[in-house]
Amino acid sequence: MQSINLPSKPPSSPHPILNLSFRIFFSAAAVFAVVMMMLWSFMFTGHTDIDAQVLNPLYWHGHEMIYGYALAVVAGFLLTAVKTWTGVMMPHGYQLLGIFSCWLLARLCWLAFGLGMTMAGTSISLLYVGAVFDLLFMILMAYAIFRAVLQVKQYKQMGILAKLTLLTLGNALCYWGIISADMNTTRVGVYLGFYLIIGLILTIGRRVVPFFIERGLSVTNDKGITETVALRNSKVQDIASLLFFLAFFIVDVFYPNKYLLTVTALGVAVVNIVRLIGWYHRGIWQKPLLWSLYIAFTGMCLSFLLYALQPWLGYAHSIAMHGLAIAGVGMMTVAMMTRVALGHTGRNIHQPPKTVPIMYGLMVLVFVSRVLLPLTDMSHYLLWIMIAQSAWIACFVLFCISYLPMLARPRPDGLFG
């Protein structure tokens, strides 16, 4: 007797925001980016009661920008992209809510600590609780990706899993440093997380920037013929970028040496500038969703040049680091979120909200004010910082206004996603 294969039950969730991870994680990341920067502006000017004996405020800021904001965007992107790459359904509904809740509870602990909302002598207890939820969030995210990759034997994705494993280790080092009152261990954990995120963005950017440019510029003419744009990626460039970046990050974090720092940072910059030249097409300037990605990648290259020149010109190391953070973790993630959110909610990627170019312009202002202006005029340093913070907050407020409604609504075409 022949068996009948009945169709499987279509996926469902209690609310559209839990359909796929990009919806809830992009929404939360944008809200968190506003709250986090507002609190940091108060903290930077000495208006909060953070327990500096437990944690240096600079590391509080660094940890939450990396393991809070950036990792939320990474989770939203990867838990969505892996479904596309492997064809395996990723966590949705209450499973996704469980993973997200771990991220959220960890962030609330860190925000409460930053606000000084503790009884005397108990501030570190908040970070103990935060550690449990933070590491659980990272483990659950990595497990969901690993399970999907293993199911379809798509072993080429193991590089991303390796970076997620190292990110979990970096976060654990941050907490171990706090628990053992060893600020240097916390510093290593923060920098390890930062450079791993940049490594992830270089890896993902290498895949999606040319892909998005090809998709964005391919058009169908009056005769019904699709005119395509083909961009190439070089395996030699991929390997060279990886090796130079690995060497750069080891030198900067563990073995500071101005000659090695210059050579390795210059290597990363040159390889990726060559890559950018190969990706260039004049048509990108007609589409904000494309030029934003291109400018973000250019900002990362410029920041590596700043790293290379820093030992010889004597400006602060933090200027180069913030350049890389703003271009790579700031503008690149905003550019990705604005594009991915449109495509995966079934909307026209060629007609983004009118606020999108303003968002990108604000993020460029963040880079100019936090990185370039202090290089030329340190006498107004605090003013440049305040302008950068205000532009960052304005950028994400606009994102929330423009994108949160579409992220919380069903797809117009009725599909699950």
Side-chain angles (χ1 to χ4, degrees):
M1 186 174 178
Q2 189 176 4
S3 61
I4 299 173
N5 293 322
L6 296 174
S8 57
K9 185 181 177 182
S12 63
S13 70
H15 191 277
I17 205 164
L18 295 173
N19 284 4
L20 284 177
S21 61
F22 77 92
R23 289 176 174 270
I24 193 164
F25 275 111
F26 287 2
S27 301
V31 173
F32 182 70
V34 173
V35 174
M36 175 72 192
M37 194 56 71
M38 289 178 69
L39 179 54
W40 176 237
S41 66
F42 285 114
M43 195 179 292
F44 189 78
T45 50
H47 290 90
T48 58
D49 297 321
I50 188 171
D51 190 344
Q53 290 184 326
V54 174
L55 183 64
N56 184 324
L58 291 172
Y59 296 153
W60 178 91
H61 171 62
H63 183 278
E64 286 306 273
M65 293 308 296
I66 296 157
Y67 295 106
Y69 168 75
L71 213 57
V73 178
V74 167
F77 178 82
L78 285 181
L79 289 173
T80 302
V82 168
K83 176 180 178 290
T84 304
W85 296 340
T86 64
V88 176
M89 191 62 194
M90 299 303 287
H92 57 281
Y94 290 114
Q95 281 188 347
L96 176 58
L97 182 61
I99 296 173
F100 171 76
S101 297
C102 292
W103 176 88
L104 179 61
L105 289 167
R107 304 291 65 81
L108 291 174
C109 290
W110 278 79
L111 286 171
F113 175 83
L115 288 166
M117 295 166 58
T118 54
M119 300 292 286
T122 63
S123 59
I124 197 169
S125 302
L126 271 174
L127 298 185
Y128 287 168
V129 176
V132 173
F133 288 113
D134 223 359
L135 296 174
L136 184 58
F137 154 65
M138 297 181 76
I139 290 166
L140 289 172
M141 173 177 61
Y143 172 74
I145 295 168
F146 179 76
R147 184 176 58 85
V149 167
L150 205 63
Q151 188 173 327
V152 297
K153 299 182 172 63
Q154 208 172 85
Y155 301 120
K156 65 180 181 180
Q157 311 297 354
M158 285 299 179
I160 287 175
L161 278 165
K163 289 184 180 73
L164 287 177
T165 302
L166 289 172
L167 272 166
T168 307
L169 174 63
N171 205 2
L173 280 175
C174 287
Y175 287 111
W176 180 252
I178 294 166
I179 291 165
S180 60
D182 181 355
M183 210 70 80
N184 186 56
T185 300
T186 301
R187 181 192 73 85
V188 170
V190 169
Y191 273 92
L192 183 62
F194 173 57
Y195 287 131
L196 284 166
I197 289 287
I198 294 297
L200 256 178
I201 288 168
L202 283 172
T203 300
I204 293 170
R206 173 255 172 218
R207 296 183 186 186
V208 303
V209 173
F211 173 74
F212 284 167
I213 290 174
E214 288 174 346
R215 290 285 297 272
L217 296 181
S218 297
V219 294
T220 303
N221 62 24
D222 297 337
K223 298 178 181 178
I225 300 171
T226 302
E227 298 171 355
T228 60
V229 173
L231 304 177
R232 290 187 304 167
N233 266 320
S234 163
K235 193 72 176 175
V236 173
Q237 287 175 356
D238 291 344
I239 294 169
S241 179
L242 175 64
L243 292 178
F244 273 121
F245 179 74
L246 181 61
F248 157 79
F249 129 68
I250 291 171
V251 168
D252 196 55
V253 177
F254 300 106
Y255 302 105
N257 177 289
K258 61 183 183 180
Y259 299 101
L260 289 174
L261 181 65
T262 297
V263 170
T264 55
L266 197 59
V268 180
V270 170
V271 170
N272 285 286
I273 287 170
V274 171
R275 176 177 278 167
L276 272 173
I277 292 169
W279 289 345
Y280 182 75
H281 188 288
R282 66 180 183 277
I284 64 172
W285 303 111
Q286 305 299 319
K287 296 179 180 290
L289 293 177
L290 301 183
W291 63 249
S292 59
L293 288 166
Y294 201 84
I295 286 179
F297 224 90
T298 303
M300 292 174 73
C301 293
L302 177 58
S303 300
F304 281 114
L305 289 176
L306 289 174
Y307 271 106
L309 294 172
Q310 185 269 329
W312 313 102
L313 299 183
Y315 48 81
H317 179 273
S318 67
I319 287 181
M321 188 202 71
H322 274 88
L324 195 54
I326 293 161
V329 181
M331 187 159 187
M332 186 63 84
T333 56
V334 171
M336 295 280 286
M337 288 193 293
T338 49
R339 166 63 171 77
V340 170
L342 287 175
H344 282 278
T345 57
R347 288 169 172 82
N348 189 347
I349 61 170
H350 301 289
Q351 294 179 343
K354 290 182 171 59
T355 52
V356 161
I358 303 172
M359 286 183 231
Y360 301 155
L362 285 166
M363 197 55 73
V364 171
L365 176 59
V366 176
F367 187 91
V368 170
S369 188
R370 182 61 184 85
V371 180
L372 301 184
L373 291 178
L375 284 173
T376 58
D377 179 15
M378 280 297 288
S379 62
H380 295 91
Y381 183 69
L382 186 58
L383 174 62
W384 306 144
I385 296 289
M386 291 173 68
I387 291 172
Q389 290 172 337
S390 300
W392 174 281
I393 291 167
C395 172
F396 282 99
V397 166
L398 281 179
F399 182 93
C400 291
I401 293 169
S402 305
Y403 277 84
L404 262 57
M406 74 172 74
L407 290 168
R409 290 176 187 150
R411 286 175 60 115
D413 56 15
L415 297 175
F416 183 86

